[in-house]
Amino acid sequence: MIALLLVVLPVAAGVALLAAGRAANRAAAPVAAGTAAVTVVLAALAAGTRPAASVPLFAGLPAGLRVDGLSAVLVLTVSAVTLAVSTYAAGELSADPGRWRFFGLMLVFAGAMLVTVTATTLPVLLAAWEVMGATSYALIGFWHRDLDRVRGGEVAFLTTRTADVGLYLAAGAAVAAGVPGLRLAGLTGAPGGWRDAIAAGVVLAALGKSAQLPFSFWLSRAMAGPSPVSALLHSATMVAAGGYLLLRLHPLLAATSWAAPLVAWVGAGTALLLGAVAVAQRDLKQLLAASTCAQLGYLVLAAGVTAVAGGAQQFVAHAATKALLFLCAGAWLTGLGTKQLPGLAGAARRYPLVGVVFTIGAASLAGLPPLSIWAAKDEILAAAGRSSPALYAVGLAAAVLAAAYSGRAIAAVWHRGPGDDRYREQPSAPVTAPMRAALVPLAAGAAGLGALSLPPAAAAWRALLGVPAEPGPSATELVTSGLLAAVTLGGVVAAQRVSARRRPSTTAPDPSTVPVRPASRGAAPAATRLLVDWLLLERAATVLVARPVLRLARMLATVDDRLVDGGVRAAVWCATALSTAAGAVVELRVDTVVRSLAAGVRRLGSWARLPQTGQLHQYYAQAVLGLALLILLLIVFGSR
């Protein structure tokens, strides 16, 4: 019952808000926050009792939900982040006329994510996967009158949908392989060829959903949505779902000879390359989006090297950290009207609470000890090192980049140049109480979840996840990565401080005029432009995939119009002509015969009516004439 309530409650509340429409505007935020709070309680109960539920879907095909060690961690994380985001959104969207739609979609979206992390069979996973994709599209394009935002939602939706085909291929292969009940736990036991096909489909779908290479660009476009949507998508839901799926199915990856190494290298490569992309960004939300790809690269790497405890810890730590950072970015966007790093100079001093909690989140993102992501990342890197020293080196280099982009963000919001004082004189919107209320717990999570790596807690954590023997990082590895993070972070912050002081006052940007795209793109070196434009991944996808597909579609449409439809139209024309001609010839002959026969009958009838005069004397005369003719015939023929 608890397993069903956990997923049904947010979905039912969301559907009710959507059905009520504008009439639910006043109650939408309290209903969403209340539902999210009850969901947190249900998640805690589920984590303690580990419930399971199964109902028949089709003959021999059940629909199952179950809360085990891994999903217990995830349902708690998803429900807690949903509560924080809904609380924050109650303040940021308090005057938006579409609140009913936003909170309704958000609850349905969160419910779909809860189903995803508790599903035990492929049909249930597929259904939740689809609902999550559809509602994410609606949330990204929430302000649908802005066509650029709608376009961003379309790019995100179509890219993830393309990768989602993999999950259907996996399901088809599982059906062909005869996996009992299409249970996730049974996929590893599929026969060799079918097992490879299932693994290929799962890997494709998970990499697309997690915005790993080469699908990372859709996350940049998803920044068109409201900040609460970004916080929800980038932290514990949607993007994290792909990493979770790989972590859940790591035995399937390990059962093949290629999937686990492939996933590990894609994760490490994404962490490194998208980390470089994040360093080059001048837009805070773009920086955070690129860092999401990079940090989730560690989660994908964990699935590839079978670091379940580290992967789950990275999931939780990143969820708290990234939700906090996106909500801070949203608070500044609401207050100052900009998300450009030059325009946010000194923003942390104008909003001290937001500045402090943002700094905690960014320091955690940098991997600074003893904050949460530091230890989680090292858990994964230690497992990568046991698998391949090259993987460890790439992961460590990505960690240095994480400290660099985090330091750049911290420096941007704290430092002021000589001309930045005028920002303080400009009006700014206040950060409301609901917005502040969501930030502090998330900051506590970003700072304190590193305790999961302390010896007593680490043993309990591994026991909870069912991997008590999984080794952790050595003290040397922890110290090395911590020192690298601290040195890099300190160096970048100091360099940014010097750069800000040297900046002439006349060059200080105005937040209201800072463009969304970097103004100096044209003059920037090619390498910088490549990084700012997210490695040109979207252009490559447009040239290599979208345009050929559209060209093929147009060609097929032409073939359909001119050959198929034209053939059908020509056949119809010929049939009509032939039937007309045949009708003309045959009907003419038949009509002529019929008309001649009728004319003959009419003529005979006319002749037969001639003796019928009605005069008795004429009838007598005709009788006498007939009798005489009869006698004559008897005489002639009777004499023979």
Side-chain angles (χ1 to χ4, degrees):
M1 181 59 76
I2 292 177
L4 290 176
L5 279 177
L6 178 65
V7 300
V8 168
L9 178 65
V11 173
V15 170
L17 287 177
L18 293 173
R22 292 182 183 277
N25 254 346
R26 185 184 295 273
V31 167
T35 303
V38 175
T39 305
V40 171
V41 175
L42 290 172
L45 291 174
T49 59
R50 309 290 181 86
S54 179
V55 295
L57 185 62
F58 299 109
L61 193 60
L65 301 173
R66 184 165 62 93
V67 179
D68 59 6
L70 180 59
S71 55
V73 173
L74 267 67
V75 295
L76 277 169
T77 306
V78 172
S79 55
V81 169
T82 303
L83 176 60
V85 171
S86 60
T87 304
Y88 175 92
E92 180 168 317
L93 301 176
S94 59
D96 196 294
R99 297 190 298 280
W100 60 276
R101 184 161 45 88
F102 175 83
F103 287 106
L105 289 170
M106 189 190 71
L107 288 175
V108 174
F109 176 79
M113 182 63 188
L114 289 171
V115 175
T116 298
V117 299
T118 56
T120 59
T121 58
L122 268 174
V124 178
L125 177 67
L126 263 173
W129 203 265
E130 289 292 340
V131 173
M132 194 163 50
T135 48
S136 69
Y137 167 65
L139 284 168
I140 294 170
F142 173 67
W143 288 313
H144 56 86
R145 296 185 188 283
D146 186 336
L147 295 183
D148 189 53
R149 296 178 189 274
V150 174
R151 173 66 178 159
E154 289 173 351
V155 171
F157 182 70
L158 291 176
T159 306
T160 53
R161 292 297 300 144
T162 302
D164 288 349
V165 172
L167 208 53
Y168 284 93
L169 294 176
V175 171
V179 175
L182 295 183
R183 289 183 174 84
L184 298 180
L187 297 179
T188 308
W194 291 119
R195 185 175 58 205
D196 287 340
I198 295 169
V202 168
V203 168
L204 175 64
L207 294 183
K209 194 69 89 179
S210 288
Q212 298 296 289
L213 290 172
F215 302 102
S216 307
F217 61 91
W218 74 260
L219 209 54
S220 170
R221 288 307 199 101
M223 290 300 95
S227 293
V229 172
S230 302
L232 195 60
L233 262 65
H234 286 242
S235 57
T237 62
M238 182 73 172
V239 188
Y244 157 76
L245 184 61
L246 292 176
L247 203 60
R248 163 66 67 189
L249 297 178
H250 72 89
L252 173 66
L253 305 181
T256 68
S257 59
W258 55 270
L262 173 67
V263 164
W265 276 106
V266 169
T270 304
L272 183 67
L273 293 177
L274 269 296
V277 168
V279 172
Q281 298 303 310
R282 291 166 57 86
D283 179 309
L284 179 58
K285 288 187 70 173
Q286 290 293 324
L287 184 155
L288 295 177
S291 75
T292 297
C293 299
Q295 292 293 327
L296 289 179
Y298 285 110
L299 180 55
V300 173
L301 171 60
V305 296
T306 318
V308 177
Q313 189 173 346
Q314 173 73 3
F315 184 102
V316 177
H318 180 260
T321 300
K322 197 49 66 69
L324 170 66
L325 292 174
F326 268 110
L327 294 184
C328 289
W332 282 324
L333 180 58
T334 302
L336 300 174
T338 183
K339 52 191 174 70
Q340 298 293 303
L341 291 178
L344 291 171
R349 298 172 187 269
R350 299 182 65 181
Y351 296 88
L353 174 64
V354 180
V356 169
V357 296
F358 179 85
T359 303
I360 293 173
S364 172
L365 194 65
L368 197 68
L371 304 179
S372 58
I373 289 183
W374 163 64
K377 173 174 58 27
D378 281 341
E379 293 266 359
I380 299 168
L381 288 181
R386 290 189 292 274
S387 173
S388 163
L391 267 180
Y392 180 82
V394 173
L396 200 61
V400 172
L401 289 176
Y405 58 69
S406 302
R408 191 159 176 261
I410 292 173
V413 299
W414 280 103
H415 290 165
R416 293 198 310 266
D420 297 339
D421 289 341
R422 59 181 170 138
Y423 294 151
R424 290 180 296 178
E425 301 170 0
Q426 295 175 356
S428 58
V431 177
T432 61
M435 296 164 73
R436 291 194 298 272
L439 298 179
V440 175
L442 289 172
L449 286 171
L452 293 174
S453 291
L454 297 177
W461 177 255
R462 284 172 167 73
L464 171 69
L465 296 168
V467 287
E470 194 171 287
S474 66
T476 303
E477 290 169 332
L478 287 169
V479 171
T480 300
S481 72
L483 281 176
L484 279 175
V487 170
T488 306
L489 183 68
V492 170
V493 171
Q496 292 288 311
R497 183 181 180 84
V498 171
S499 174
R501 285 182 174 177
R502 289 179 178 175
R503 190 170 60 206
S505 60
T506 52
T507 61
D510 185 335
S512 63
T513 59
V514 174
V516 174
R517 290 287 185 185
S520 58
R521 260 178 82 191
T528 303
R529 292 202 304 272
L530 181 68
L531 294 175
V532 169
D533 284 339
W534 286 62
L535 307 175
L536 301 179
L537 291 171
E538 184 174 353
R539 295 187 191 182
T542 301
V543 172
L544 299 177
V545 179
R547 287 179 185 170
V549 168
L550 288 174
R551 195 172 295 120
L552 178 63
R554 292 191 191 99
M555 187 175 68
L556 292 176
T558 302
V559 170
D560 181 65
D561 289 343
R562 296 185 180 178
L563 292 183
V564 180
D565 282 0
V568 171
R569 285 194 296 269
V572 171
W573 183 86
C574 290
T576 304
L578 288 173
S579 63
T580 302
V585 174
V586 174
E587 287 183 6
L588 179 62
R589 291 178 179 175
V590 173
D591 286 354
T592 302
V593 171
V594 171
R595 281 196 294 271
S596 299
L597 182 60
V601 171
R602 280 198 299 273
R603 191 172 297 111
L604 289 174
S606 300
W607 290 347
R609 285 198 302 271
L610 289 177
Q612 299 175 13
T613 61
Q615 302 293 324
L616 289 176
H617 65 280
Q618 291 182 353
Y619 292 153
Y620 286 132
Q622 293 173 16
V624 171
L625 182 61
L627 182 61
L629 182 61
L630 181 60
I631 293 172
L632 179 61
L633 290 174
L634 288 174
I635 293 172
V636 171
F637 293 99
S639 61
R640 294 180 181 179

